[in-house]
Amino acid sequence: MNVPVRVMAHLIAGYPDDPLAFAIADSLVGSGVSYLEVQIPFSDPSADGVAIQKASSEVLSRGYTMSDNLRFVEKLASSFPDIPIFVMTYANLAYRRGVDSFVTTMAGVGVKGLIIPDLPFDYDEGLNEACKNHGMYAVPVAAPSMDSARRDKLTRLQRKFVYAALRAGITGSETVIDPSMIEFLDDIRGNSLLLGGFGIRSGQQSKLLAPHVHAVVAGSVFVNIIARYAPEGEKVLKTMINEKARELTGLA
């Protein structure tokens, strides 16, 4: 009997358009994912690979605004109340609006956690405090390039969630799961729930990671499916998303 793997599925707000993006989310939830990570499209990302950059640029070229993002996230949160919604974005968008104001707004549309990779956990402009005040989680990002002292510093914070980037660099390239990666995950876990991602494409990878993380994060793999199959219509697209999600969750 297959033991389901918790998966956090990454999608981009408004990609390829709002109706299809919602249909994709519906398919992901129906396929057994445990979390949705919604990325706010950004014009100058520091962690995103080619697929996500291209998708974000397509959304922004339509004049997609923060209000559009918020409406999309709010619809997800109200439609799938049992699925925690985490938002991934960049510091510029939060800082420009004021971190506390940004967090207040996100809490108001049902967001449970914020992942802002270019706000380091020890210089986060008040993000963690603001999230605590609004019943949300600020999710710091850890990478294998962190030295042992910095890993220890993060572990001592005992954050509820930590996003473990499985390698340095940007998303999209295939990730090889080797003993050093497992050692990194086990080293930073502490009492936190690890969300492990970057380059996860297959059920085999998610099964290897599952004993060492709370949830496996998959993003570019879904973005690539959307880019390929969206022109064929919603039915085909949802079928392909469903197949990959069930593979990653071990429910196929």
Side-chain angles (χ1 to χ4, degrees):
M1 179 179 177
N2 289 335
V3 177
V5 176
R6 291 189 195 90
V7 170
M8 172 180 275
H10 178 109
L11 65 158
I12 299 167
Y15 180 70
D17 57 41
D18 274 22
L20 277 179
F22 183 80
I24 291 161
D26 183 62
S27 184
L28 289 167
V29 172
S31 303
V33 305
S34 300
Y35 299 89
L36 291 175
E37 178 191 18
V38 183
Q39 177 164 347
I40 297 176
F42 189 65
S43 59
D44 188 25
S46 60
D48 299 322
V50 174
I52 292 179
Q53 287 188 46
K54 185 174 184 295
S56 293
S57 294
E58 289 181 18
V59 176
L60 292 171
S61 71
R62 304 201 317 261
Y64 209 74
T65 66
M66 181 57 73
S67 294
D68 295 321
N69 283 288
L70 293 172
R71 279 192 293 270
F72 179 73
V73 171
E74 187 170 33
K75 183 176 181 180
L76 292 183
S78 61
S79 300
F80 311 115
D82 296 328
I83 302 295
I85 307 295
F86 284 57
V87 162
M88 181 267 172
T89 188
Y90 287 97
N92 179 275
L93 294 180
Y95 189 77
R96 187 172 64 185
R97 288 162 176 78
V99 169
D100 189 71
S101 177
F102 183 80
V103 171
T104 301
T105 299
M106 289 294 161
V109 296
V111 174
K112 298 300 183 186
L114 283 171
I115 303 168
I116 305 182
D118 54 345
L119 273 183
F121 64 85
D122 45 357
Y123 294 98
D124 72 354
E125 303 293 340
L127 178 68
N128 183 56
E129 190 65 25
C131 284
K132 285 198 299 183
N133 290 339
H134 291 86
M136 292 170 57
Y137 302 109
V139 184
V141 177
S145 56
M146 295 170 67
D147 62 31
S148 59
R150 191 159 178 76
R151 292 184 190 185
D152 290 344
K153 186 176 182 180
L154 174 58
T155 302
R156 286 196 301 271
L157 294 178
Q158 299 188 39
R159 294 286 183 86
K160 177 72 171 180
F161 293 93
V162 170
Y163 187 112
L166 300 177
R167 55 176 169 73
I170 57 175
T171 62
S173 301
E174 187 170 3
T175 294
V176 177
I177 299 169
D178 58 23
S180 65
M181 180 184 297
I182 299 303
E183 182 181 357
F184 161 67
L185 293 172
D186 293 343
D187 191 34
I188 65 167
R189 180 185 298 107
N191 294 320
S192 299
L193 300 176
L194 293 188
L195 308 171
F198 261 50
I200 300 303
R201 299 180 179 180
S202 70
Q204 182 181 19
Q205 289 173 307
S206 62
K207 284 181 181 179
L208 287 172
L209 283 176
H212 305 277
V213 298
H214 171 71
V216 175
V217 185
S220 295
V221 64
F222 291 122
V223 175
N224 285 325
I225 290 172
I226 296 165
R228 179 175 178 183
Y229 291 103
E232 297 187 31
E234 179 179 324
K235 184 177 180 180
V236 172
L237 178 58
K238 289 187 71 172
T239 296
M240 301 310 295
I241 291 288
N242 176 275
E243 287 182 3
K244 179 54 68 174
R246 288 179 63 80
E247 176 192 338
L248 293 170
T249 58
L251 297 174

